Amino acid sequence: MAEMVKSTASSGPRTAEANPVTRFFRATEIDTRLLGMIGALIIIWIGFHIITGGLFLTPRNLWNLSVQTTDIAIMTTGMVLIIVTRNIDLSVGSVLGLCGMIMGVTQAKILPEYIGFDSPFTWAITLLVGIAAGFLIGAFQGMIIAFLNVPSFIVTLGGLLVWRGATWLVTSGQTVAPMDQTFRIMGGGAEGSIGATWSWIVGIAACLFVIASIIGSRRQRRRFGFPRRPIWAEYFLAILSCVLILGAVSIANSYYWPINIAKKYAETNNIPWPETGLDIPYGIAVPVLIAIVVGIIMTFIATRLRFGRYVFAIGGNPEAAELAGIKTRWVTVRIFALMGVLAAIAAAISTARLNAATNSQGTLDELYTIAAAVIGGTSLAGGTGTIAGAMLGALVMQSLQSGMVLAHVDTPLQSVVVGTVLVVAVWLDTVYRARAK
């Protein structure tokens, strides 16, 4: 028994005959498709760094890139589950806009009449109202799809138009600003970052979490008699993960507050202003932390809960899933309700970052969300997809957009590039699945 579970690298003649690269990937169990996306992302970053004359791979741009990615990254975690079940949601951008406008009106016009300005409860009530609105919108669309048998493409296409129009009707097209001071923390910036010390604490905690997860996974495999990775592979994954985490924290701490904001902070807190200036690191942005937490929760839902297994079962074979006793209709309703909640969270971050709720908020976000999920490996045929891959796809999409802006590429040409990348990604996915068969 001990010899059976000693190592996946010694589990049979097929592994022994494989070349060193194949044996390495089998031992570490690294997803080669995810690794390919990371390689493509690195090429994109280096390419834009050269084209922009060294502007792309700077702490400032990478920090801004991480914040700008959060909206799409959060929504694409829900889009994965929707596409996995062979559905689509074209309304997420409009839902984001409507939820953002509802939250803006709630905190700027309604709540001040009852609890006054600058109440410590304003941000919490606003967020709950926005999440409730997103949940109801998503559940409503899910009910139509599941129980009236209207295709999700048609329902959400109608939702794209309806919710965008409703966004305009809430304030007759007027912009609502400013937002509550505490609420603005969710948008990032100097006030919406946790600073250097807490960033290192979070980074170290994340490393400990990764190590604990690897140890826990090894113990579970041993308990149930499953093959385990070689010890060297466990160490390699732990070290690599910690290096990436602490490297990201170091980059976040290398970006400092602007001089004017730092001076204002020093005056407010009676800190003497040195001749060389005061370097105050931003640290990890709050919206980035929110996106990471959402990604972890959605990964847990998709891989560890019965609901997640039902979602992938429906995507694999809807008829068989229904015959197996899965309530496919209610699963569909819950997926779209969850998508509405995620759109509301993204709306809160977007509204807080803009410090305003605008009529055009979320425009075309549905296309970027779907593109991020597909680029991240989610199959439009259903049944396959990962949360981590989709979030990485969102980073790829935002990297392309940010790099083209820095390179002064015209807006029409940006759309051409994004559309081309999406088509190529779907084509590569088709080729990959054809070879896998």
Side-chain angles (χ1 to χ4, degrees):
M1 182 67 181
E3 293 178 358
M4 291 175 60
V5 298
K6 185 178 292 184
S7 169
T8 55
S10 59
S11 58
R14 180 184 175 186
T15 306
E17 295 173 0
N19 60 58
V21 176
T22 303
R23 290 202 301 270
F24 172 80
F25 285 120
R26 286 179 182 170
T28 56
E29 299 179 0
I30 295 176
D31 187 347
T32 53
R33 294 188 66 188
L34 197 63
L35 191 64
M37 287 184 58
I38 294 174
L41 183 63
I42 293 173
I43 293 173
I44 291 171
W45 283 6
I46 294 175
F48 277 125
H49 190 68
I50 295 172
I51 293 172
T52 58
L55 294 178
F56 192 87
L57 292 178
T58 59
R60 175 181 180 179
N61 187 62
L62 293 177
W63 190 92
N64 288 327
L65 177 63
S66 68
V67 173
Q68 293 164 359
T69 304
T70 54
D71 305 353
I72 303 300
I74 288 172
M75 290 194 294
T76 198
T77 61
M79 189 62 72
V80 168
L81 301 186
I82 288 178
I83 295 178
V84 161
T85 57
R86 306 185 184 186
N87 288 297
I88 200 73
D89 192 344
L90 300 176
S91 67
V92 290
S94 297
V95 174
L96 183 152
L98 179 57
C99 290
M101 186 61 73
I102 290 173
M103 285 187 280
V105 171
T106 299
Q107 63 185 295
K109 296 186 177 181
I110 298 177
L111 290 181
E113 297 181 4
Y114 297 96
I115 60 177
F117 290 95
D118 298 326
S119 170
F121 303 104
T122 297
W123 74 273
I125 296 174
T126 299
L127 188 59
L128 289 175
V129 169
I131 290 176
F135 175 85
L136 292 174
I137 292 171
F140 175 69
Q141 293 188 143
M143 295 282 284
I144 296 175
I145 294 166
F147 291 97
L148 298 183
N149 295 320
V150 182
S152 59
F153 181 89
I154 299 301
V155 173
T156 57
L157 179 60
L160 182 151
L161 301 174
V162 170
W163 309 129
R164 181 61 62 190
T167 303
W168 189 92
L169 291 173
V170 171
T171 60
S172 298
Q174 296 179 355
T175 297
V176 179
M179 300 293 103
D180 176 74
Q181 185 175 359
T182 306
F183 184 83
R184 291 202 301 268
I185 292 176
M186 289 186 289
E191 297 177 350
S193 303
I194 62 176
T197 302
W198 277 106
S199 294
W200 285 119
I201 292 173
V202 169
I204 294 171
C207 290
L208 294 175
F209 174 78
V210 169
I211 294 171
S213 299
I214 292 174
I215 295 173
S217 174
R218 188 172 183 83
R219 287 178 177 174
Q220 285 290 93
R221 293 185 179 204
R222 175 192 242 172
R223 178 184 174 186
F224 294 105
F226 293 151
R228 287 169 284 160
R229 289 187 291 251
I231 290 294
W232 68 263
E234 306 281 21
Y235 279 111
F236 173 79
L237 292 174
I239 293 172
L240 178 63
S241 300
C242 291
V243 168
L244 292 176
I245 291 170
L246 297 180
V249 172
S250 177
I251 292 173
N253 288 339
S254 299
Y255 179 37
Y256 302 107
W257 289 9
I259 295 177
N260 293 336
I261 297 178
K263 281 185 177 180
K264 185 177 180 180
Y265 175 82
E267 293 173 359
T268 304
N269 295 273
N270 297 320
I271 299 175
W273 185 260
E275 295 182 359
T276 56
L278 192 62
D279 293 333
I280 304 177
Y282 274 89
I284 302 174
V286 171
V288 174
L289 290 177
I290 295 173
I292 293 172
V293 171
V294 169
I296 293 172
I297 293 173
M298 291 297 294
T299 300
F300 180 80
I301 290 174
T303 59
R304 298 299 180 89
L305 294 186
R306 184 182 302 173
F307 173 74
R309 292 196 294 271
Y310 287 170
V311 167
F312 282 88
I314 293 172
N317 193 324
E319 293 78 12
E322 194 162 0
L323 290 173
I326 298 175
K327 297 179 180 179
T328 56
R329 293 184 177 182
W330 282 111
V331 171
T332 300
V333 173
R334 290 170 186 167
I335 292 171
F336 278 90
L338 180 59
M339 185 72 253
V341 170
L342 294 171
I345 295 173
I349 293 174
S350 176
T351 305
R353 185 168 68 245
L354 294 173
N355 194 24
T358 65
N359 187 49
S360 61
Q361 201 169 339
T363 302
L364 295 181
D365 276 6
E366 57 278 345
L367 301 183
Y368 287 106
T369 302
I370 295 170
V374 173
I375 290 173
T378 304
S379 174
L380 291 172
T384 305
T386 63
I387 303 300
M391 297 186 77
L392 187 58
L395 182 58
V396 170
M397 293 294 296
Q398 189 58 48
S399 296
L400 285 172
Q401 191 170 11
S402 175
M404 288 187 289
V405 170
L406 288 176
H408 304 291
V409 176
D410 293 336
T411 302
L413 186 55
Q414 293 181 27
S415 300
V416 171
V417 172
V418 171
T420 303
V421 169
L422 177 58
V423 173
V424 171
V426 174
W427 173 69
L428 291 175
D429 179 71
T430 304
V431 171
Y432 177 85
R433 296 185 190 285
R435 291 183 176 179
K437 292 179 180 180

